[in-house]
Amino acid sequence: MIQKFNNFKMNTNGQKLYEFTDETINWIKKNKFKNGILNLSIQHTSASLIIQENADPDVQTDLINYFNKIAPMDNKLYIHTTEGKDDMPAHIKSSLTNNQISLSVENGELLLGTWQGIYLFEHRLNPQTRTIIHHFLGEV
């Protein structure tokens, strides 16, 4: 049994979903992981990780619109507004989604369903550099 870590950096440019499925699959293949668990963890409180459909971009648009409705960017609604109108809404969106995701790897393949992709869900308006930790525990 082995453990391996990778700090994956991703630059974002505003509020949207950024897919990184291919980068994760490439890391699995490069390291010849066979069977195990892959834990993904984002080190930020204003962005999140989600597994989502990667076939129809309308899904991404609808998700962003939905989250903007349930956590509007209106500073009159919040006490914590230190970094601007997207500050507290970003924290709310992050708390409603995931900061960690665990996925299975079997026979060297990441077990995702049809049309599923791994996304960084950026909740801030301004460009950010995000760190996603990949932690594999299993066999090579």
Side-chain angles (χ1 to χ4, degrees):
M1 178 117 12
I2 62 128
Q3 288 192 66
K4 186 134 185 171
F5 293 87
N6 178 45
N7 288 350
F8 175 67
K9 301 274 186 194
M10 180 178 281
N11 293 319
T12 65
N13 191 20
Q15 188 179 56
K16 80 182 231 193
L17 280 77
Y18 297 85
E19 187 172 6
F20 63 100
T21 310
D22 289 342
E23 290 84 353
T24 299
I25 290 170
N26 290 339
W27 185 68
I28 291 167
K29 295 202 181 300
K30 174 183 156 195
N31 287 282
K32 299 180 179 154
F33 297 145
K34 187 172 180 184
N35 296 305
I37 296 291
L38 175 64
N39 185 67
L40 305 173
S41 179
I42 190 164
Q43 295 191 304
H44 307 277
T45 59
S46 56
S48 53
L49 301 174
I50 62 173
I51 303 292
Q52 197 46 255
E53 177 176 331
N54 64 358
D56 184 351
D58 289 344
V59 172
Q60 297 175 31
T61 301
D62 287 343
L63 280 170
I64 291 167
N65 289 339
Y66 176 78
F67 275 92
N68 283 339
K69 286 178 187 170
I70 61 174
M73 293 188 205
D74 180 354
N75 278 350
K76 291 180 263 170
L77 301 172
Y78 311 109
I79 297 169
H80 178 74
T81 59
T82 307
E83 296 177 58
K85 70 178 184 177
D86 64 344
D87 194 1
M88 193 60 211
H91 294 299
I92 293 169
K93 294 169 189 177
S94 176
S95 72
L96 294 173
T97 52
N98 302 297
N99 64 7
Q100 293 184 49
I101 297 173
S102 290
L103 298 165
S104 297
V105 175
E106 182 180 42
N107 297 320
E109 299 293 324
L110 186 62
L111 299 183
L112 288 171
T114 304
W115 314 121
Q116 285 187 328
I118 310 167
Y119 291 89
L120 183 159
F121 192 176
E122 178 61 67
H123 305 304
R124 300 305 297 260
L125 297 172
N126 292 326
Q128 306 289 325
T129 299
R130 301 303 192 175
T131 302
I132 302 164
I133 297 174
H134 289 62
H135 175 197
F136 177 81
L137 177 63
E139 307 168 343
V140 290

